[in-house]
């Protein structure tokens, strides 16, 4: 009963969320790859300092949607975006938006860990060096704090100058998260961050995600429904490029409003 009231309250908030509580405001977003429409008129408000999961079968548009939140689709030829994505009351698709500043405010981590073939330390301070920071003390402090926040410090503090490629897959993924965190982003986008990892590393990353929302807004794509249920506050279910249902996570997995959601969460299609 309590749960029900808690979830119906959250649900109401998603639609009528106060502007200062919204991290990403997606308005009537439609995306085409050439002739093919990959996203159909999606509107959703993603709350600040919470974890929002995007789920749905392979090819439904999860990666396409999350990539719109830092304009990673810009480089794809034939890609056209209509509608708007507001972050901090500005439409990031406005022609005057500075996309490299945007990408430091909105960090992204992909399925396969992609550390640079340099040391652990240089991976973490990479973005800071690009921003022109070179003072050793500043870099050291920021590297340590990013590695601590990514729950990796204790494992790497004695091997900061070894190659990042000597780390395990799970450590590499936390290193990539530290690299994004070092830039103090507002939002972290995680596109299937654990699907290349073993169960123990997956658990470590899920625990990490739980702590990250104190500081950041997290959006995570996962094809693993248990993972969405474990880590997220609200869940969006996408199907064939459409947002079918967007609700409090408990609600979506226990009392879905839409039949398509129910069919998906009960495993009737992949
Ligand atoms: N670069 C691209 N060019 C053309 N079509 C694409 C491209 N990327 C994705 N698509 C298509 O858009 C749809 C959504 O893909 P995607 O967002 O990758 O799905 P998901 O991440 O949910 O598996 C799919 O039909 C896919 O084939
Ligand atoms: Mg994908």
């Amino acid at each position: 009963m309590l749960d029900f009231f808690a979830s119906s309250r959250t649900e109401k908030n998603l639609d009528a969320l106060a502007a200062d509580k919204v991290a990403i405001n997606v308005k009537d977003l439609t995306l085409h790859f050439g002739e093919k429409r990959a996203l159909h008129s999606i509107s959703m408000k993603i709350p600040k300092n919470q974890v929002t999961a995007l789920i749905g079968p392979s090819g439904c548009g999860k990666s396409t949607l999350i990539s719109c939140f830092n304009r990673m689709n810009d480089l794809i030829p034939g890609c056209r975006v209509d509608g708007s994505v507001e972050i901090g009351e500005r439409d990031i698709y406005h022609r005057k938006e500075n996309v490299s500043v945007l990408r430091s405010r909105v960090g992204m981590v992909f399925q396969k860990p992609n550390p640079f073939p340099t040391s652990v330390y240089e991976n973490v301070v990479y973005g800071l060096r690009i921003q022109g920071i070179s003072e050793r003390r500043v870099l050291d402090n920021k590297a340590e704090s990013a590695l601590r926040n990514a729950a990796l410090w204790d494992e790497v503090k004695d091997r900061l100058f070894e190659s990042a490629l000597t780390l395990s897959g799970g450590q590499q993924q936390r290193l990539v998260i530290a690299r994004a965190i070092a830039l103090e982003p507002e939002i972290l986008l995680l596109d299937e961050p654990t699907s290349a990892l073993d169960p123990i590393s997956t658990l470590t990353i899920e625990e990490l995600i739980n702590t990250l929302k104190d500081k950041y807004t997290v959006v995570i794509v996962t094809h693993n429904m248990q993972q969405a249920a474990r880590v997220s506050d609200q869940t969006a279910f996408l199907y064939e490029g459409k947002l079918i249902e967007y609700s409090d996570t408990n609600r979506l997995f226990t009392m879905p409003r839409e039949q398509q959601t129910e069919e998906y969460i009960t495993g009737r299609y992949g």
Side-chain angles (χ1 to χ4, degrees):
M1 225 27 198
L2 264 177
D3 258 351
F4 173 73
F5 285 119
S7 50
S8 52
R9 207 164 48 234
T10 313
E11 221 182 329
K12 227 158 111 204
N13 288 349
L14 284 179
D15 289 333
L17 211 58
D20 65 333
K21 300 267 191 290
V22 178
I24 309 176
N25 194 356
V26 183
K27 290 183 178 166
D28 204 12
L29 180 73
T30 292
L31 183 146
H32 286 84
F33 291 117
E35 294 293 293
K36 186 190 150 67
R37 188 160 54 169
L39 297 176
H40 299 242
S41 189
I42 292 185
S43 296
M44 65 190 294
K45 291 179 180 172
I46 296 181
K48 279 186 185 161
N49 293 98
Q50 296 196 7
V51 179
T52 301
L54 308 180
I55 64 165
S58 182
C60 72
K62 304 179 295 297
S63 295
T64 304
L65 178 59
I66 200 172
S67 302
C68 288
F69 301 158
N70 72 348
R71 290 185 47 175
M72 288 300 277
N73 295 318
D74 279 21
L75 300 172
I76 300 172
C79 172
R80 195 180 90 230
V81 175
D82 298 292
S84 63
V85 176
E86 290 173 8
I87 295 179
E89 288 168 35
R90 276 160 48 129
D91 179 9
I92 63 168
Y93 278 96
H94 190 279
R95 63 189 164 78
K96 287 193 177 150
E97 180 74 16
N98 179 328
V99 178
S100 39
V101 172
L102 171 69
R103 294 202 183 127
S104 64
R105 293 169 60 206
V106 186
M108 189 155 186
V109 172
F110 301 92
Q111 179 169 344
K112 207 169 159 291
N114 58 350
F116 305 132
T118 54
S119 67
V120 170
Y121 181 89
E122 284 304 323
N123 265 273
V124 183
V125 302
Y126 174 82
L128 300 167
R129 287 202 193 278
I130 292 204
Q131 288 183 346
I133 301 173
S134 57
E135 200 187 329
R136 188 58 194 241
R137 199 171 42 84
V138 177
L139 294 176
D140 285 356
N141 285 340
K142 286 189 183 272
E144 177 170 344
S145 116
L147 287 165
R148 282 188 189 280
N149 285 329
L152 187 58
W153 174 252
D154 289 338
E155 291 162 60
V156 300
K157 62 177 191 288
D158 299 322
R159 47 196 290 204
L160 290 174
F161 301 101
E162 286 175 30
S163 166
L165 304 180
T166 64
L167 301 180
S168 73
Q171 290 172 328
Q172 289 187 9
Q173 197 62 310
R174 279 177 285 145
L175 179 63
V176 173
I177 292 172
R179 189 171 70 195
I181 287 177
L183 294 170
E184 294 170 18
E186 294 152 44
I187 300 169
L188 266 179
L189 308 175
L190 310 173
D191 190 353
E192 305 210 22
T194 64
S195 58
L197 303 181
D198 62 86
I200 305 241
S201 308
T202 297
L203 200 67
T204 310
I205 302 257
E206 288 182 5
E207 283 165 0
L208 167 61
I209 290 169
N210 230 328
T211 67
L212 289 174
K213 68 179 180 183
D214 293 341
K215 287 204 170 107
Y216 313 101
T217 299
V218 179
V219 184
I220 178 172
V221 167
T222 175
H223 64 247
N224 178 333
M225 286 186 268
Q226 285 76 26
Q227 179 165 76
R230 282 192 297 265
V231 304
S232 71
D233 299 294
Q234 50 277 320
T235 298
F237 169 58
L238 299 172
Y239 187 66
E240 292 182 345
K242 299 192 182 86
L243 178 60
I244 305 296
E245 183 161 350
Y246 178 41
S247 310
D248 177 83
T249 296
N250 286 331
R251 161 83 196 228
L252 188 130
F253 286 108
T254 55
M255 280 186 295
R257 271 171 297 177
E258 302 296 328
Q259 193 185 339
Q260 275 170 309
T261 314
E262 175 162 10
E263 285 174 1
Y264 181 68
I265 64 174
T266 55
R268 246 170 286 173
Y269 46 81

